[in-house]
Amino acid sequence: EAKLGEFNAEKDQLLAKTSDARGALRAAEAELQTLQDEHSAKRHRLATLLELEEKRAVYTPQVQKLFAEQKKIGVRFAGVLADRFNVSEAAETAIETLFGPFLEAVVVESIADARRAFAWLKENDIGRTAMIVLPKADNAGRERISADGDTIADHLGIGGEFADILHQIFPREMSARLVRDFDTNNPSSSEILVNYDGDLLIGGRIFVGGSTTAEGKNESLLAFKRELGHLEKEENRLSREVEKGIAAVDASRKQLVENEGKMVDLQSI
């Protein structure tokens, strides 16, 4: 009778462990499915944006043709100016207002490369576009530099030699102040103020403002670049999380099978 009691106690304990293991497996499988669904959605969206980026579909026709024919031209283009920025979402409109089409300035490594590309544009009657000579990028994979000041230069997420070069090329744009509103700021006669809506106050006398109609999700080049960068990081993170999820499911299933095997052995006694 004592042995029967021990047997029943062991059986009850094993039943409880088996039930817990079954519940743990269901929970692990549900969590894995959620991760896989999110990963699949992010991966699909990333693939779409990467295809647009590869085809330069978000750029002007002139820039698209330059990249498509760079081998024929004999110049290796290193992206566009916007690729070198790491901008917060809040400051995107202001920065796009100030830099305008120069955000699509094609990056080359020398004046000779720029001249070669311009010659090709003229020969083929492609149109006009901007090019900018910049040193090789050394900021791959870095996080956005925090904006400590109130000038646009402080909100581009850049530093070092690159920032110095842009100060030389775009002195007024880089020194423009990003403000919440114009009413509480008094600009000097040579100062530019820009608010988060992209409105401008130049020298306290010229106002540029109004509204724009957004026609597409990727109408903003900086927003496109931001989403692309964010999705690349998210896809990598979710890939790692899915791997962990698969390992958790395997471990839970192994524990359940082990407990069920013990139950079979126990019931055969």
Side-chain angles (χ1 to χ4, degrees):
E1 198 170 303
K3 287 184 177 181
L4 181 59
E6 290 177 1
F7 175 82
N8 287 332
E10 183 180 357
K11 182 179 179 181
D12 290 342
Q13 187 178 22
L14 192 53
L15 279 170
K17 286 183 177 180
T18 303
S19 178
D20 290 343
R22 190 172 291 110
L25 177 59
R26 283 197 295 266
E29 287 176 335
E31 184 175 354
L32 175 59
Q33 186 63 55
T34 299
L35 284 170
Q36 288 175 326
D37 290 344
E38 184 180 2
H39 183 228
S40 178
K42 293 283 176 66
R43 186 170 53 189
H44 178 72
R45 176 63 180 166
L46 176 60
T48 300
L49 295 195
L50 285 173
E51 183 178 359
L52 291 173
E53 176 72 0
E54 184 178 353
K55 294 179 178 178
R56 315 291 171 177
V58 296
Y59 303 135
T60 61
Q62 296 94 317
V63 174
Q64 291 179 34
K65 290 175 182 177
L66 278 172
F67 278 97
E69 301 294 337
Q70 58 183 320
K71 286 186 179 179
K72 184 183 295 185
I73 299 169
V75 176
R76 180 184 176 279
F77 301 122
V80 297
L81 180 59
D83 292 324
R84 303 291 184 94
F85 293 163
N86 203 345
V87 179
S88 68
E89 182 176 359
E92 285 172 356
T93 302
I95 290 168
E96 288 179 332
T97 298
L98 283 167
F99 285 89
F102 287 115
L103 288 172
E104 291 190 38
V106 178
V107 178
V108 294
E109 295 181 3
S110 69
I111 289 293
D113 285 345
R115 287 173 176 162
R116 190 176 296 115
F118 280 136
W120 183 86
L121 286 171
K122 288 183 178 180
E123 288 170 5
N124 292 275
D125 195 23
I126 301 298
R128 299 171 68 86
T129 193
M131 294 189 193
I132 183 169
V133 180
L134 293 175
K136 290 183 178 180
D138 59 357
N139 57 3
R142 65 160 172 78
E143 295 298 318
R144 186 172 61 83
I145 298 173
S146 298
D148 294 327
D150 65 351
T151 69
I152 285 297
D154 297 315
H155 290 265
L156 295 178
I158 62 175
E161 182 185 8
F162 180 36
D164 293 338
I165 291 172
L166 289 193
H167 273 289
Q168 295 170 14
I169 301 173
F170 303 105
R172 296 191 72 187
E173 290 84 352
M174 293 289 280
S175 61
R177 284 200 294 129
L178 182 60
V179 298
R180 293 289 173 188
D181 60 73
F182 297 142
D183 295 336
T184 57
N185 292 272
N186 296 311
S188 66
S189 60
S190 61
E191 191 174 33
I192 298 176
L193 299 184
V194 58
N195 64 21
Y196 287 90
D197 292 327
D199 301 326
L200 294 172
L201 176 56
I202 304 172
R205 292 180 178 274
I206 296 180
F207 285 88
V208 181
S211 62
T212 57
T213 302
E215 297 179 354
K217 188 170 184 179
N218 293 318
E219 186 177 272
S220 164
L221 180 59
L222 291 178
F224 174 84
K225 298 290 184 181
R226 171 173 47 79
E227 185 184 5
L228 180 59
H230 173 71
L231 283 173
E232 287 174 336
K233 292 178 182 177
E234 278 293 283
E235 199 277 333
N236 288 331
R237 180 187 68 81
L238 287 167
S239 292
R240 295 191 296 270
E241 291 297 318
V242 167
E243 289 179 3
K244 292 179 183 178
I246 292 173
V249 167
D250 289 343
S252 296
R253 183 176 290 113
K254 181 180 179 181
Q255 185 62 56
L256 177 60
V257 170
E258 183 179 326
N259 288 343
E260 288 177 337
K262 288 180 181 179
M263 279 295 300
V264 171
D265 293 341
L266 195 62
Q267 289 173 346
S268 65
I269 297 175

